[in-house]
């Protein structure tokens, strides 16, 4: 038993160092009854936030039921994860990773959280500094760290599908109903967001944060916060699709993009994941419309080519496939594409695939070889060569730098 304990402590010491490499994720150890044993964080106020959100209570209720890690979240987009250590069948200790944000958080939301978390007036300035210093870690990368920590504690190898996710949102489980929002203000905020899609306005962050503060979403007639969030996010996605089409995005592209995000939303198991995907969806449509509006010299034919290439970067693409799709001869399409864009179709396909690769490198833990295969590159080495030619960096270097930001 003593040997096993020593082995676990050595593994955790190594894991603690790994967590500090770029991401700076805090590690906390609690006894099975919830007392803090130790932490490498300098900010013990985070333990109070963990408790005030209801996550600690929820974790203690689950520690007798679960052996796989438990992912928990809060309405700010905060995430924690608990890894359970047992002695036989008896809960012995709980290791918590976090908190982290899974996306950038606005100052307005942080200031609102001062009231939500009941932060003492004397601590408010320090609280804001602490929260602004928390790491932003994509969910997929955070889950990978969680699985590694679980292995350090238990020597058991698990996958993403083995993780447990919070079945309710403790932020909303306080026995009081959510206050009614001013429906006119909610409607105005929603119209502002949709107008920004129509205009391709890149200065959308403050409006997006303001709308999140105002609205609790579409009423789903359910006490299940996950269902409530899914209904709200998928409804908003449908509105964004229509607005993008009115802004000039092709219906084929707009609906395909929207359907892809809706499928991801339906599969989410936490409100935190949903918020992250909802933010990515909105940003995606704004960027697509902005690109469309800032390239007025591109004809409808070439814009449709752009849209098709970007939406099918993980499928086989060629001049022949595009010409057949657009209804033009290969020679006419090739000549017109080069004339309007200044690059060949083959080169543009590579650009689109590299952009998709950058997204996958930032948001997943997939190995480079898998990403290369998904994006139709003949080999990992060919993918790395093309990626470096376009970005100036190798894929592994790009991923490391993005994780450190």
């Amino acid at each position: 038993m003593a040997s096993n304990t020593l082995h676990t402590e050595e593994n955790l010491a190594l894991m603690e160092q790994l967590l500090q490499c770029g991401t700076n994720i805090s590690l906390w150890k609690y006894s099975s009854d919830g007392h803090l044993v130790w932490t490498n964080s300098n900010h013990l106020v985070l333990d109070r936030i963990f408790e005030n959100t209801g996550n600690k209570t929820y974790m203690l209720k689950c520690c007798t039921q679960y052996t796989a890690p438990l992912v928990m979240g809060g309405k700010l987009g905060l995430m924690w994860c608990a890894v359970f250590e047992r002695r036989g069948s008896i809960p012995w200790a709980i290791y918590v990773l976090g908190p982290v944000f899974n996306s950038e958080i606005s100052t307005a939301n942080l200031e609102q959280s001062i009231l939500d978390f009941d932060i003492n007036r004397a601590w408010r300035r320090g609280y804001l500094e602490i929260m602004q210093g928390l790491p932003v870690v994509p969910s997929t990368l955070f889950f990978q760290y969680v699985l590694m920590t679980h292995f350090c504690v238990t020597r058991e190898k698990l996958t993403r599908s083995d993780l447990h996710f919070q079945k309710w949102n403790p932020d909303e489980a306080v026995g009081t109903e959510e206050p009614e929002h001013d429906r006119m203000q909610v409607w105005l905020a929603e119209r502002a967001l949709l107008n920004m899609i129509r205009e391709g306005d890149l200065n959308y962050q403050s409006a997006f944060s303001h709308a999140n503060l105002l609205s609790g979403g579409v009423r789903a007639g359910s006490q299940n916060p996950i269902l409530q969030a899914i209904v709200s996010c998928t409804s908003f996605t449908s509105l964004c699709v229509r607005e993008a089409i009115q802004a000039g995005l092709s219906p084929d592209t707009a609906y395909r993009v929207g359907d892809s995000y809706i499928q991801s939303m339906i599969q989410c198991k936490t409100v935190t994941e949903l918020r992250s995907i909802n933010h990515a969806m909105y940003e995606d449509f704004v960027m697509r419309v902005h690109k469309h509006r800032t390239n007025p010299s591109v004809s409808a034919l070439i814009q449709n080519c752009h849209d098709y290439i970007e939406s099918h970067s993980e499928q086989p693409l060629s001049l022949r496939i595009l010409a057949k799709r657009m209804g033009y001869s290969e020679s006419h399409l090739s000549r017109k594409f080069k004339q309007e864009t200044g690059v060949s179709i083959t080169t543009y396909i590579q650009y689109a695939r590299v952009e998709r690769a950058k997204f996958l490198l930032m948001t997943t833990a997939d190995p480079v070889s898998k990403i290369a295969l998904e994006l139709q590159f003949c080999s990992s080495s060919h993918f790395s060569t093309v990626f470096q030619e376009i970005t100036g960096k190798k894929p592994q270097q790009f991923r490391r730098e993005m994780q450190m930001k």
Side-chain angles (χ1 to χ4, degrees):
M1 182 72 72
S3 176
N4 289 338
T5 300
L6 181 61
H7 189 67
T8 298
E9 291 177 352
E10 290 175 346
N11 287 340
L12 283 170
L14 175 59
M15 190 67 215
E16 181 183 351
Q17 294 181 49
L18 292 174
L19 291 172
Q20 298 299 308
C21 294
T23 54
N24 199 30
I25 299 174
S26 297
L27 184 63
W28 310 70
K29 180 179 180 180
Y30 293 90
S31 63
S32 59
D33 57 359
H35 289 94
L36 180 62
V37 178
W38 62 260
T39 179
N40 61 358
S41 173
N42 294 322
H43 307 299
L44 294 182
V45 68
L46 295 174
D47 176 58
R48 179 181 175 186
I49 292 171
F50 185 48
E51 185 170 356
N52 285 357
T53 56
N55 282 297
K56 181 186 284 190
T57 300
Y58 185 79
M59 174 186 73
L60 295 176
K61 288 181 179 179
C62 294
C63 75
T64 58
Q65 307 170 36
Y66 296 157
T67 56
L70 169 67
V71 179
M72 298 162 285
K75 62 186 177 184
L76 269 180
L78 287 171
M79 285 195 300
W80 292 266
C81 191
V83 173
F84 304 108
E85 182 181 13
R86 293 176 177 272
R87 292 288 186 265
S89 60
I90 301 174
W92 184 261
I94 308 171
Y95 300 91
V96 174
L97 281 71
V100 303
F101 289 115
N102 65 358
S103 60
E104 296 292 342
I105 185 72
S106 71
T107 302
N109 277 346
L110 285 178
E111 290 175 346
Q112 175 63 34
S113 70
I114 289 176
L115 301 178
D116 297 337
F117 295 149
D118 191 26
I119 303 298
N120 184 285
R121 183 177 296 275
W123 280 94
R124 290 183 179 181
R125 182 174 180 180
Y127 163 80
L128 288 175
E129 292 177 356
I130 291 171
M131 297 298 279
Q132 288 168 343
L134 290 180
V136 178
V137 184
S139 299
T140 50
L141 180 60
F142 185 59
F143 298 158
Q144 195 66 35
Y145 287 135
V146 169
L147 294 173
M148 292 166 63
T149 305
H150 177 80
F151 179 78
C152 289
V153 173
T154 67
R155 306 295 293 176
E156 180 185 24
K157 295 181 180 179
L158 299 179
T159 64
R160 159 71 171 75
S161 61
D162 295 312
L163 298 176
H164 294 291
F165 290 85
Q166 198 173 34
K167 292 184 172 62
W168 55 281
N169 189 341
D171 290 336
E172 298 169 0
V174 293
T176 59
E177 294 185 0
E178 182 183 357
E180 283 294 321
H181 299 286
D182 184 330
R183 294 300 179 186
M184 177 58 72
Q185 291 299 317
V186 171
W187 181 81
L188 290 173
E190 180 184 277
R191 291 313 310 166
L193 287 179
L194 295 176
N195 284 335
M196 285 184 160
I197 288 182
R198 183 177 293 192
E199 298 297 325
D201 190 342
L202 300 183
N203 299 312
Y204 63 86
Q205 289 285 6
S206 60
F208 193 84
S209 298
H210 178 61
N212 282 339
L213 284 174
L214 283 175
S215 177
V218 178
R219 293 294 178 190
S222 169
Q223 297 301 313
N224 185 332
I226 302 296
L227 177 59
Q228 175 79 23
I230 289 174
V231 172
S232 180
C233 291
T234 54
S235 299
F236 183 59
T237 301
S238 297
L239 294 175
C240 291
V241 167
R242 295 170 188 168
E243 208 68 31
I245 292 172
Q246 292 185 29
L249 208 61
S250 73
D252 184 53
T253 297
Y255 279 114
R256 186 183 300 109
V257 171
D259 289 346
S260 176
Y261 280 110
I262 287 174
Q263 286 300 317
S264 297
M265 291 171 179
I266 291 173
Q267 295 171 13
C268 283
K269 296 183 178 180
T270 68
V271 174
T272 301
E273 282 185 286
L274 273 164
R275 285 181 177 141
S276 178
I277 293 174
N278 191 54
H279 186 277
M281 176 279 299
Y282 181 78
E283 185 176 66
D284 192 353
F285 275 117
V286 170
M287 296 300 294
R288 286 174 184 270
V289 172
H290 176 77
K291 182 178 178 182
H292 175 75
R293 291 176 63 88
T294 53
N295 287 279
S297 61
V298 176
S299 65
L301 168 62
I302 302 307
Q303 185 61 54
N304 287 340
C305 279
H306 285 178
D307 293 342
Y308 188 83
I309 290 170
E310 291 167 8
S311 300
H312 295 78
S313 58
E314 297 180 6
Q315 299 177 17
L317 290 170
S318 67
L319 173 59
R320 180 182 62 80
I321 292 173
L322 286 168
K324 184 177 180 180
R325 174 80 183 181
M326 301 301 157
Y328 287 87
S329 68
E330 293 181 27
S331 59
H332 175 78
L333 182 60
S334 177
R335 182 174 62 256
K336 191 168 180 62
F337 195 98
K338 181 69 177 289
Q339 180 183 2
E340 293 191 21
T341 66
V343 297
S344 68
I345 285 179
T346 300
T347 299
Y348 193 86
I349 290 172
Q350 288 187 334
Y351 286 157
R353 284 177 170 158
V354 166
E355 284 301 310
R356 179 61 179 169
K358 288 161 67 176
F359 175 80
L360 294 174
L361 288 166
M362 288 189 292
T363 60
T364 75
D366 292 346
V368 170
S369 58
K370 181 180 179 182
I371 294 175
L373 184 64
E374 288 180 356
L375 293 173
Q376 304 293 316
F377 286 93
C378 61
S379 66
S380 297
S381 59
H382 179 229
F383 166 62
S384 295
T385 298
V386 173
F387 191 94
Q388 187 170 20
E389 286 175 352
I390 293 175
T391 68
K393 302 171 184 176
K394 289 189 176 295
Q396 298 91 333
Q397 179 188 358
F398 176 84
R399 171 175 271 167
R400 285 195 299 269
E401 291 180 0
M402 290 300 102
Q403 290 175 355
M404 293 177 66
K405 288 187 177 182

